[in-house]
Amino acid sequence: MKPIEGRTRVIIEQIQPQIDCGRYPARRFIGDQVDVSAAIFSDGHDHVSAQLLYKHEQDSSWKVLTLEALPNDLWSGTFVVDRLGLWSFTIRGWVDHFDTWCADLRKRLAAQSLQQVARMERDPVTSDAANPDAANPPLPGTATTPQDIAVAFTVGAGLVDAAVSRASGGDASALSEIASSLRELADQERPYYEYPLTSEAEQLIAKYPDHSFVAMPKKELHLWVDRERARFSSWYELFPRSASPDPNRHGRLRDVEAILPEIAAMGFDILYLPPIHPIGLAFRKGPNNSVSAQPGDEGSPWAIGSPAGGHKSIHPSLGTFEDFDHLVEALKRHGLELAMDIAFQCSPDHPWVKDHPEWFIHRPDGTIQYAENPPKKYQDIYPLNFESSDWKGLWDELASVFQFWMDRGVRVFRVDNPHTKALPFWEWCINTLHKTAPDVIFLAEAFTRPHIMYSLAKSGFTQSYTYFTWRTAKSELQSYFEEITKPPVSDFFTPNVWPNTPDILHASLQNGGRPAFMQRLILATTLAASYGIYGPAYELGENVPVRHGSEEYLNSEKYQIRRWDRSASHSIAPLVTKLNYIRNSNRALQNDLSLHFHNVDNPQILCYSKSAPSANGEPPNVILVAVNLDPTNEQGGWIDLDLKRLGIGHDEQFDVEDLLTGTHYRWRNRSNYVALRPQIMPAHVFRVTRLKP
Amino acid sequence: MKPIEGRTRVIIEQIQPQIDCGRYPARRFIGDQVDVSAAIFSDGHDHVSAQLLYKHEQDSSWKVLTLEALPNDLWSGTFVVDRLGLWSFTIRGWVDHFDTWCADLRKRLAAQSLQQVARMERDPVTSDAANPDAANPPLPGTATTPQDIAVAFTVGAGLVDAAVSRASGGDASALSEIASSLRELADQERPYYEYPLTSEAEQLIAKYPDHSFVAMPKKELHLWVDRERARFSSWYELFPRSASPDPNRHGRLRDVEAILPEIAAMGFDILYLPPIHPIGLAFRKGPNNSVSAQPGDEGSPWAIGSPAGGHKSIHPSLGTFEDFDHLVEALKRHGLELAMDIAFQCSPDHPWVKDHPEWFIHRPDGTIQYAENPPKKYQDIYPLNFESSDWKGLWDELASVFQFWMDRGVRVFRVDNPHTKALPFWEWCINTLHKTAPDVIFLAEAFTRPHIMYSLAKSGFTQSYTYFTWRTAKSELQSYFEEITKPPVSDFFTPNVWPNTPDILHASLQNGGRPAFMQRLILATTLAASYGIYGPAYELGENVPVRHGSEEYLNSEKYQIRRWDRSASHSIAPLVTKLNYIRNSNRALQNDLSLHFHNVDNPQILCYSKSAPSANGEPPNVILVAVNLDPTNEQGGWIDLDLKRLGIGHDEQFDVEDLLTGTHYRWRNRSNYVALRPQIMPAHVFRVTRLKP
């Protein structure tokens, strides 16, 4: 069957950015320059023109940008996304007879004026050998004549006439004059002609292109634009129930407020609290995850729901809604945001169990199916059934949990185990919430297989936990970060890296002592624009596992209240503060896409740079980091710098300032030696600056 | 907005093969095993199952194949395409509650029988750490009890009940019995259970899966399946007008018949003739492309159309339709097929010019626009206007040209300059013709930029000319052939390589003498499964260009009749014959996808292998080629063999037989030395054979 319009000769392929054939939006951040590229071509020798069309979802019409032709039929264009939310873009291309005419006329006139023809190069890649004679100059008798040029002028006048019909007002009259002048020239049959159009005239004609047979992809593509904090964020996690200054009292939200100055002074911008809802009583776990809690045991905040309420309630021991609202305000004053933990699972005491039994799986014996990972049983947790006949009711209720807290001012959520809830639910839920609140950040706490982690990101999660926690060797750090900071992954996945969490005390921290805590902190803060620590366990170097070979903490705060001495002398809080200061004052560390690894001849030293171009009058910002990954021994090595990535010319002298110590070095060559002692400071964090000439 | 069915939890991504998001079919050959792969996954711990559905366009229902799970959520399946034409395939996936139940039950029983639980490994890539406690063994009091297992049996019986409702006849009764036996077991409450299902029972249940919430991509994907000759073909091009044994007479189709035994004996399977239509008189070109022909000059066969007719006529000097039909029959008897040249362009004398002036561009002075590449003019050629208001009539007429010759038994077309005709036309034209004649082969003679060449292949062209003619250095040969013999390109593009054509006498042949002709022939015949030469110019080493720096032949056969001495002693016809014999008797050389390059420590020696697996009782076939690319000097070098690609084990002795000379060598190691003298034989073409133990 023939197409509806078979005269559409232009093909548009390989539009980027594009995720899974346009199934999901690509993700960008507010203020980003979006580079769009595509392959656009047609048959034959005619010139092609192409435009990028783009708009924010609330714009009523497209903005239009002329694409630039690169070699080999690739085209590109750039626009800035200056509003949060969903954007659309597409491309249109057409055979541009006017542009072809201009180029051909120039060649005819050049041939005529030279009185001879330059020999045409013949290469199938860069030019076209369509005609068997293309490699040969024109034969005598086939050269351009004044008559040929007169005909060309008349053809051109016809093309301008057509532009007149598409124009109006002053443009139409100006175009009419151009057409007339071309016809006059044609009538003169001079022996020699100059090129007849000014560049203003050419631009005026090009302003009214012939879109009769314009090609356009069937589907628009989409971008989702997040706010700056989605790209660059520093998270601090703490258990509010351990925040009490009185060791005999359960910590309260008001106690958290008292610690805010300290957290803000460390330079964090997001305070993340584990679930603050009422904790279940049935099958409550005791300290160290013991099966039966004793009276007074506080239970796990992730066993959500009790007679006091569920996901829209506050654990009475933590405080009231008034306290909550007060905390949200206090955070604002300290330049901090609250991240809430949303864990969609229920204790047997959760109100949903009674009110919506259809949201759970029922066993043949009439009981509700608790969480299992056979043969292990978690009788204190009921998972939700995403195959419930009332899935629509379930989805609505879950989305309303986010909306409930959003209505109380929360704009950041850390979502617990999203990969155990149906992926189509997340896509619907996040998109629905984002429609009216595009500034909300969702962090996916999924530690599972790559396809599922990436699918959560495609479905809408703003940031994602990563495998960073388990990537300790140089080669695995490098290959993992190269994967997640480059397209296609970086087009939908934004990492948030954590050296520890309440669930994960990695062996490297158990065994590496204080240097390991410093190393992993430096890696997290400088490899990724978003990171977080679970404190004060991290600053205080808490490193004892519940048992050998386990990644669980001994006396884990998940099951009991802990008392922390934040002022302990061995705390690495000063290093945390320093690193956050460096991150906040260096734009290079506020993005992931510029990450670049430099070779070092020592497998224990990892070296990488990040950069940000000059902007708003600020010069380019370039950070170069070298980390000794060995927690025990001094390591030295020669770095082979990729100077181009640092913005440094060949044989140019430049300054590197270690921002951790303030020491300046003057370097010139690619090769530079570093030696790093883990007990003192396992890394250099250099700012690289060109010297004034 | 919620989806229609939100309980569909499985995601299917990255289905391969797939061209441009399914916009075009992937291409395969009859008898191919098609390997389909995809990423398929769901949330949580439930098992996923998936099937491949596939059918030929004439099948009324899908064939169904269970996909196999590979690591990391990848799945694969293979089916054989045993009919020409269009195939469809898609994938469906679902959460398999029965399979999950089986696996969980096995774990429960194992735990029970061991009386202890193996410590679960925790690695985010290979296993799932969904639950914060996954790294720990179950706590006392949470171990599997006989009651747990009894409940599991009852749950299983329910799943089997559901299968009963989907089954019928004997299967339904057998399933009912399985359900009953599970219920009986559950009632017994034994202290210890064996696994209750035979593998036959499991398979029977799995035969009736629960597809309530099955996931399936919106669009089916397509494959186009060509016949064997599309993959493996040896083309010989000659000008029939030069075929006369009488030097004073214009060659005729009957004269071509007389040469067929010779061409067949050389081992070719396709005879390709330049256009055989009437040649235009207006602006006819003389010898060496001179502008005005003299009386008696025969003109270019590509200037098609005269009062004697157009694309559906035969040039009277060549013969009649009876002669044509006779030639087609004669070719069959010699195991040859005819390839016709279809060049959609017209001489000013073509009947279309008078009958369909609307198919051409008219200039303001009333004349028809001739072909131009400004400032060059080709007044003997009128291009067709694919923006004609009667584009539908034009498309129909052009397609009817192919149909006309197909009705006379032609099954192979070489299409001249398809890249100067609208790409959507080709897609429609080839697909339309292929609907009733899927065995027709279309070779695209396009020497232009990569995107356009690839777009022609995607649009339906079976084979394509390549840049081989201009790729002479080792690195450019290697990188080009790696590009075109691997996905994605090999999924839609099939190369047909030509060391020369009537348009292209490459400098390497002009300057390299007989060794260059041997080298380029060996490369063409062994690098690509499809190749062709323009003869007898090639065998006879015709190497004089029309002028220095030109790729045109002096006294080109395009513009005049040539007399060739096929029996000349310097002819390399014996080498052509030998190489075609080697190609015809070695399956390894009949495919492109197995091509693999081996390292050699000399930049003038190119080494590569091709292989075919054992089939129909024949052992695997492995060919290893080493070519000296220097036409002047002997070159020697150490080849570092990738033994695995040759099917040879480490430290295994094997035989290599040079099929050009019959000499055998016994090799053992990766490293082997070759020395090649271009004047004698610039290559080894080895058959690699394992020695009997």
Side-chain angles (χ1 to χ4, degrees):
Chain A
M1 224 179 62
K2 295 192 186 74
I4 290 166
E5 179 49 81
R7 290 170 288 183
T8 304
R9 294 159 52 202
V10 168
I11 307 284
I12 302 174
E13 289 183 346
Q14 300 174 11
I15 306 178
Q16 290 295 336
Q18 181 170 184
I19 310 299
D20 292 2
C21 301
R23 168 68 182 80
Y24 303 97
R27 303 176 79 84
R28 293 292 186 273
F29 304 103
I30 189 101
D32 275 359
Q33 286 210 338
V34 180
D35 295 323
V36 175
S37 64
I40 308 174
F41 50 89
S42 181
D43 60 279
H45 303 273
D46 290 339
H47 288 211
V48 164
S49 286
Q51 292 170 332
L52 172 67
L53 311 184
Y54 62 98
K55 63 179 178 187
H56 184 267
E57 58 184 328
Q58 282 162 16
D59 290 337
S60 55
S61 62
W62 294 109
K63 290 188 181 67
V64 178
L65 180 82
T66 299
L67 288 175
E68 187 193 351
L70 309 175
N72 267 334
D73 298 314
L74 296 177
W75 296 69
S76 80
T78 296
F79 67 101
V80 173
V81 281
D82 52 8
R83 287 169 77 184
L84 297 187
L86 195 67
W87 290 66
S88 304
F89 69 98
T90 189
I91 283 173
R92 66 182 171 204
W94 64 96
V95 171
D96 190 330
H97 292 295
F98 174 68
D99 197 53
T100 309
W101 176 87
C102 292
D104 284 354
L105 182 62
R106 283 198 163 86
K107 288 184 210 155
R108 290 180 219 274
L109 294 171
Q112 193 196 32
S113 80
L114 286 171
Q115 298 294 329
Q116 68 171 33
V117 175
R119 186 180 166 281
M120 298 282 147
E121 289 290 338
R122 176 178 190 158
D123 180 313
V125 175
T126 58
S127 79
D128 201 315
N131 192 296
D133 297 317
N136 304 321
L139 298 161
T142 70
T144 306
T145 64
Q147 289 72 27
D148 290 334
I149 292 179
V151 168
F153 285 163
T154 316
V155 169
L159 292 169
V160 181
D161 287 345
V164 172
S165 72
R166 294 184 289 269
S168 59
D171 282 357
S173 358
L175 288 166
S176 291
E177 278 175 37
I178 295 169
S180 304
S181 71
L182 285 171
R183 285 210 168 79
E184 276 168 35
L185 276 173
D187 289 342
Q188 293 172 7
E189 297 219 4
R190 298 188 198 170
Y192 177 78
Y193 291 92
E194 300 275 343
Y195 186 75
L197 297 180
T198 61
S199 68
E200 290 73 25
E202 284 188 353
Q203 281 163 28
L204 184 63
I205 301 165
K207 197 174 151 187
Y208 298 96
D210 180 3
H211 280 172
S212 307
F213 311 130
V214 77
M216 221 164 155
K218 275 187 193 155
K219 289 194 303 184
E220 297 164 13
L221 295 172
H222 296 284
L223 294 172
W224 177 263
V225 175
D226 283 307
R227 63 182 166 119
E228 193 202 2
R229 190 59 67 233
R231 165 171 52 75
F232 169 56
S233 56
S234 310
W235 296 50
Y236 189 79
E237 175 177 6
L238 65 76
F239 283 77
R241 68 186 178 188
S242 300
S244 163
D246 172 358
N248 299 316
R249 181 168 66 68
H250 189 287
R252 302 179 61 84
L253 298 178
R254 295 277 178 168
D255 298 319
V256 173
E257 266 186 55
I259 312 174
L260 292 188
E262 241 177 292
I263 297 167
M266 279 197 282
F268 289 99
D269 38 51
I270 295 180
L271 174 69
Y272 151 43
L273 305 182
I276 59 169
H277 315 301
I279 295 173
L281 293 161
F283 296 97
R284 175 178 283 191
K285 299 290 175 66
N288 289 307
N289 202 17
S290 61
V291 168
S292 36
Q294 303 304 312
D297 287 348
E298 297 294 343
S300 161
W302 284 274
I304 295 169
S306 81
H311 286 76
K312 296 176 186 169
S313 302
I314 296 174
H315 188 37
S317 307
L318 287 173
T320 63
F321 277 106
E322 198 193 334
D323 296 331
F324 181 85
D325 297 342
H326 203 268
L327 174 62
V328 169
E329 287 308 310
L331 282 159
K332 270 189 205 154
R333 282 196 305 277
H334 285 95
L336 284 157
E337 290 191 57
L338 177 65
M340 281 190 70
D341 190 326
I342 301 294
F344 283 139
Q345 56 191 18
C346 299
S347 108
D349 309 316
H350 195 290
W352 288 342
V353 176
K354 203 174 64 197
D355 299 344
H356 294 282
E358 69 279 12
W359 293 349
F360 302 88
I361 296 173
H362 296 263
R363 308 204 304 174
D365 62 358
T367 60
I368 289 180
Q369 177 66 62
Y370 44 79
E372 278 191 292
N373 187 9
K376 292 194 279 178
K377 306 191 285 192
Y378 308 96
Q379 287 147 303
D380 55 333
I381 298 291
Y382 287 173
L384 292 158
N385 177 18
F386 283 82
E387 293 185 4
S388 165
S389 57
D390 184 36
W391 61 273
K392 291 184 184 180
L394 174 62
W395 286 23
D396 286 333
E397 175 65 15
L398 298 182
S400 80
V401 170
F402 290 105
Q403 191 63 55
F404 179 88
W405 297 105
M406 283 158 63
D407 293 344
R408 296 203 95 91
V410 179
R411 281 294 176 274
V412 186
F413 296 98
R414 178 269 197 195
V415 178
D416 189 78
N417 282 335
H419 59 295
T420 60
K421 286 89 198 173
L423 291 157
F425 161 71
W426 289 121
E427 187 175 20
W428 168 82
C429 177
I430 295 176
N431 287 344
T432 301
L433 297 169
H434 265 164
K435 273 211 173 60
T436 51
D439 60 331
V440 174
I441 291 172
F442 296 89
L443 166 63
E445 187 256 356
F447 294 112
T448 181
R449 304 185 302 278
H451 276 111
I452 300 176
M453 294 190 60
Y454 289 161
S455 194
L456 288 163
K458 292 173 187 174
S459 298
F461 278 93
T462 321
Q463 298 185 342
S464 301
Y465 279 63
T466 69
Y467 305 148
F468 167 73
T469 322
W470 296 276
R471 299 292 176 267
T472 52
K474 177 175 173 173
S475 61
E476 55 188 23
L477 280 165
Q478 188 160 336
S479 68
Y480 183 55
F481 275 87
E482 280 179 342
E483 175 180 326
I484 61 176
T485 60
K486 289 187 200 318
V489 175
S490 64
D491 273 340
F492 57 81
F493 182 89
T494 301
N496 187 330
V497 308
W498 291 70
N500 76 330
T501 78
D503 294 327
I504 314 168
L505 172 64
H506 188 264
S508 60
L509 295 179
Q510 296 176 26
N511 306 322
R514 199 166 183 270
F517 280 78
M518 294 165 74
Q519 287 160 342
R520 299 295 295 175
L521 181 71
I522 293 165
L523 289 169
T525 51
T526 57
L527 276 170
S530 285
Y531 90 106
I533 56 173
Y534 152 53
Y538 200 85
E539 308 96 273
L540 297 177
E542 178 85 358
N543 69 348
V544 184
V546 67
R547 78 185 67 83
H548 182 73
S550 170
E551 288 183 343
E552 289 286 330
Y553 280 93
L554 176 66
N555 302 325
S556 168
E557 223 170 343
K558 292 193 294 186
Y559 309 106
Q560 65 188 88
I561 293 174
R562 292 287 302 272
R563 307 296 166 193
W564 302 103
D565 178 9
R566 296 184 161 270
S567 58
S569 64
H570 66 280
S571 169
I572 61 167
L575 180 61
V576 174
T577 305
K578 174 76 86 172
L579 286 163
N580 280 335
Y581 175 79
I582 294 171
R583 285 163 54 85
N584 289 326
S585 50
N586 287 279
R587 290 178 299 116
L589 296 175
Q590 298 170 13
N591 76 77
D592 287 326
L593 273 59
S594 66
L595 181 65
H596 181 76
F597 290 93
H598 301 257
N599 289 329
V600 188
D601 63 358
N602 182 333
Q604 293 284 8
I605 299 181
L606 185 69
C607 178
Y608 46 94
S609 64
K610 286 186 150 189
S611 57
S614 57
N616 304 323
E618 289 178 50
N621 179 238
V622 181
I623 297 291
L624 178 74
V625 182
V627 186
N628 174 3
L629 302 175
D630 178 347
T632 312
N633 306 299
E634 172 173 340
Q635 297 283 348
W638 287 93
I639 304 173
D640 180 25
L641 292 176
D642 183 342
L643 291 175
K644 206 172 159 193
R645 294 296 295 240
L646 305 179
I648 302 296
H650 173 68
D651 206 32
E652 177 184 344
Q653 209 175 38
F654 55 99
D655 178 79
V656 299
E657 175 190 3
D658 188 338
L659 300 173
L660 293 170
T661 62
T663 314
H664 286 261
Y665 304 85
R666 194 150 287 195
W667 285 0
R668 183 188 290 272
N669 298 314
R670 295 171 60 101
S671 280
N672 293 282
Y673 190 81
V674 293
L676 295 158
R677 296 163 72 180
Q679 283 74 17
I680 296 170
M681 182 55 72
H684 290 303
V685 177
F686 290 125
R687 179 159 51 205
V688 178
T689 316
R690 299 181 70 178
L691 296 171
K692 298 282 176 294
Chain B
M1 220 180 65
K2 294 191 187 74
I4 290 164
E5 180 48 83
R7 290 171 288 182
T8 303
R9 294 160 51 202
V10 168
I11 307 284
I12 302 175
E13 288 183 347
Q14 301 174 12
I15 305 179
Q16 291 294 335
Q18 181 170 185
I19 312 297
D20 292 2
C21 301
R23 168 68 182 79
Y24 303 99
R27 304 177 78 84
R28 292 292 186 273
F29 304 103
I30 188 102
D32 275 359
Q33 287 210 339
V34 180
D35 296 323
V36 175
S37 64
I40 308 174
F41 50 88
S42 180
D43 60 280
H45 303 273
D46 289 340
H47 287 212
V48 164
S49 286
Q51 292 170 332
L52 172 66
L53 310 184
Y54 63 98
K55 65 177 177 188
H56 184 268
E57 57 184 328
Q58 282 162 17
D59 290 338
S60 55
S61 61
W62 294 109
K63 291 188 180 66
V64 179
L65 181 82
T66 299
L67 289 175
E68 187 193 350
L70 309 176
N72 266 335
D73 298 315
L74 296 178
W75 296 69
S76 80
T78 297
F79 68 102
V80 172
V81 280
D82 53 9
R83 286 170 79 183
L84 298 186
L86 195 68
W87 291 66
S88 304
F89 69 99
T90 190
I91 284 174
R92 66 181 172 204
W94 63 96
V95 170
D96 190 330
H97 292 295
F98 173 69
D99 197 53
T100 309
W101 177 86
C102 293
D104 284 354
L105 182 62
R106 283 198 163 86
K107 289 184 210 155
R108 289 179 218 275
L109 294 171
Q112 193 195 32
S113 80
L114 287 171
Q115 297 295 328
Q116 67 171 34
V117 174
R119 185 181 169 281
M120 300 280 148
E121 289 290 337
R122 177 179 191 157
D123 180 312
V125 176
T126 58
S127 77
D128 202 314
N131 192 295
D133 296 318
N136 303 320
L139 297 160
T142 71
T144 306
T145 64
Q147 289 72 26
D148 290 333
I149 292 179
V151 168
F153 285 162
T154 316
V155 169
L159 292 170
V160 181
D161 287 345
V164 172
S165 71
R166 293 184 290 268
S168 60
D171 282 358
S173 357
L175 288 166
S176 291
E177 278 175 36
I178 296 169
S180 303
S181 71
L182 286 171
R183 285 209 169 78
E184 276 167 35
L185 275 173
D187 289 342
Q188 291 172 8
E189 297 218 3
R190 298 187 197 170
Y192 177 79
Y193 292 92
E194 300 275 343
Y195 187 74
L197 296 180
T198 63
S199 67
E200 290 74 23
E202 283 188 355
Q203 281 162 29
L204 183 65
I205 300 164
K207 198 174 150 187
Y208 298 97
D210 181 2
H211 280 171
S212 307
F213 311 129
V214 76
M216 220 165 156
K218 275 187 194 155
K219 287 195 304 184
E220 297 165 12
L221 296 172
H222 296 285
L223 293 172
W224 177 263
V225 175
D226 283 306
R227 62 183 167 118
E228 193 201 2
R229 191 58 68 231
R231 165 171 53 75
F232 169 55
S233 57
S234 310
W235 297 49
Y236 190 79
E237 175 177 8
L238 65 74
F239 282 78
R241 66 185 179 188
S242 299
S244 165
D246 173 355
N248 299 315
R249 183 168 66 67
H250 189 287
R252 301 178 63 82
L253 297 178
R254 293 277 178 167
D255 298 319
V256 173
E257 266 186 53
I259 312 174
L260 293 187
E262 242 177 291
I263 297 167
M266 279 197 283
F268 289 99
D269 39 50
I270 294 180
L271 174 68
Y272 152 44
L273 305 182
I276 59 168
H277 314 301
I279 295 173
L281 293 162
F283 297 97
R284 175 178 282 190
K285 298 289 175 67
N288 289 308
N289 202 16
S290 61
V291 168
S292 36
Q294 303 303 313
D297 286 350
E298 297 292 344
S300 161
W302 284 275
I304 294 169
S306 81
H311 286 78
K312 295 175 186 171
S313 302
I314 296 174
H315 189 35
S317 307
L318 287 173
T320 65
F321 276 106
E322 200 193 332
D323 296 332
F324 181 85
D325 296 342
H326 203 268
L327 174 62
V328 168
E329 287 307 310
L331 282 157
K332 271 188 203 155
R333 283 197 304 278
H334 285 96
L336 284 158
E337 290 190 59
L338 178 65
M340 282 190 69
D341 190 326
I342 301 294
F344 283 139
Q345 55 190 22
C346 299
S347 108
D349 309 317
H350 196 290
W352 288 343
V353 176
K354 205 173 65 200
D355 299 345
H356 295 282
E358 69 278 12
W359 293 349
F360 300 89
I361 296 173
H362 295 264
R363 308 205 302 174
D365 63 359
T367 60
I368 290 180
Q369 176 67 61
Y370 45 79
E372 279 191 291
N373 188 7
K376 292 196 278 179
K377 306 192 284 191
Y378 309 97
Q379 286 146 306
D380 56 332
I381 299 290
Y382 287 173
L384 292 158
N385 177 17
F386 283 82
E387 292 185 4
S388 165
S389 59
D390 184 36
W391 62 273
K392 290 185 184 179
L394 174 62
W395 284 23
D396 286 333
E397 174 65 15
L398 298 183
S400 80
V401 170
F402 290 106
Q403 192 63 55
F404 179 88
W405 296 104
M406 284 158 62
D407 292 344
R408 297 203 93 91
V410 179
R411 281 294 177 273
V412 186
F413 296 98
R414 177 270 197 194
V415 178
D416 189 79
N417 282 335
H419 59 296
T420 59
K421 286 91 199 172
L423 290 157
F425 161 71
W426 289 121
E427 186 175 21
W428 168 83
C429 177
I430 296 176
N431 287 345
T432 300
L433 297 168
H434 266 164
K435 276 212 170 60
T436 53
D439 60 332
V440 175
I441 290 172
F442 296 88
L443 166 62
E445 187 255 356
F447 294 112
T448 181
R449 304 185 302 277
H451 275 110
I452 300 176
M453 295 192 59
Y454 289 161
S455 194
L456 288 162
K458 292 174 188 173
S459 299
F461 277 94
T462 322
Q463 298 185 342
S464 302
Y465 280 64
T466 68
Y467 306 148
F468 167 73
T469 322
W470 296 275
R471 298 291 176 268
T472 53
K474 176 174 172 172
S475 61
E476 54 188 23
L477 280 165
Q478 187 160 336
S479 68
Y480 182 54
F481 275 87
E482 281 179 340
E483 175 180 326
I484 62 177
T485 61
K486 290 188 200 315
V489 176
S490 64
D491 273 340
F492 57 81
F493 182 90
T494 301
N496 186 329
V497 308
W498 292 68
N500 75 330
T501 78
D503 295 328
I504 314 167
L505 172 65
H506 188 264
S508 60
L509 296 179
Q510 296 176 26
N511 307 322
R514 199 166 183 269
F517 281 78
M518 294 165 73
Q519 287 161 342
R520 298 297 293 176
L521 181 70
I522 293 165
L523 290 169
T525 52
T526 57
L527 276 170
S530 286
Y531 90 106
I533 56 171
Y534 152 53
Y538 201 85
E539 309 96 274
L540 297 178
E542 179 85 357
N543 70 348
V544 184
V546 67
R547 80 184 67 83
H548 181 73
S550 171
E551 288 183 343
E552 289 286 329
Y553 280 94
L554 176 66
N555 302 326
S556 168
E557 224 171 342
K558 291 192 294 186
Y559 308 107
Q560 66 187 87
I561 292 174
R562 293 288 301 271
R563 306 299 166 192
W564 302 104
D565 178 8
R566 296 184 162 271
S567 58
S569 63
H570 67 278
S571 169
I572 61 166
L575 180 62
V576 174
T577 305
K578 174 77 85 176
L579 287 163
N580 278 335
Y581 175 80
I582 294 170
R583 285 164 53 85
N584 289 325
S585 50
N586 286 280
R587 291 178 299 117
L589 296 175
Q590 298 170 12
N591 75 77
D592 288 325
L593 273 58
S594 65
L595 180 66
H596 181 76
F597 290 93
H598 301 258
N599 289 330
V600 189
D601 63 358
N602 180 334
Q604 293 285 8
I605 299 181
L606 185 69
C607 178
Y608 47 94
S609 64
K610 286 186 151 190
S611 57
S614 57
N616 304 323
E618 290 178 51
N621 179 238
V622 181
I623 297 290
L624 178 73
V625 182
V627 186
N628 174 1
L629 301 175
D630 178 347
T632 312
N633 307 299
E634 174 173 337
Q635 297 283 349
W638 287 93
I639 303 174
D640 180 25
L641 292 175
D642 184 342
L643 291 175
K644 205 172 161 192
R645 293 297 294 238
L646 304 180
I648 302 295
H650 174 67
D651 206 32
E652 176 184 344
Q653 210 175 38
F654 55 99
D655 177 78
V656 298
E657 175 191 1
D658 188 339
L659 299 173
L660 294 169
T661 61
T663 314
H664 286 260
Y665 304 85
R666 194 149 286 195
W667 286 0
R668 183 188 289 274
N669 297 314
R670 296 173 59 102
S671 279
N672 292 283
Y673 190 80
V674 293
L676 294 159
R677 296 163 68 180
Q679 282 75 17
I680 297 171
M681 182 53 73
H684 290 303
V685 178
F686 290 125
R687 179 160 49 207
V688 178
T689 317
R690 300 182 69 176
L691 297 170
K692 299 280 176 295

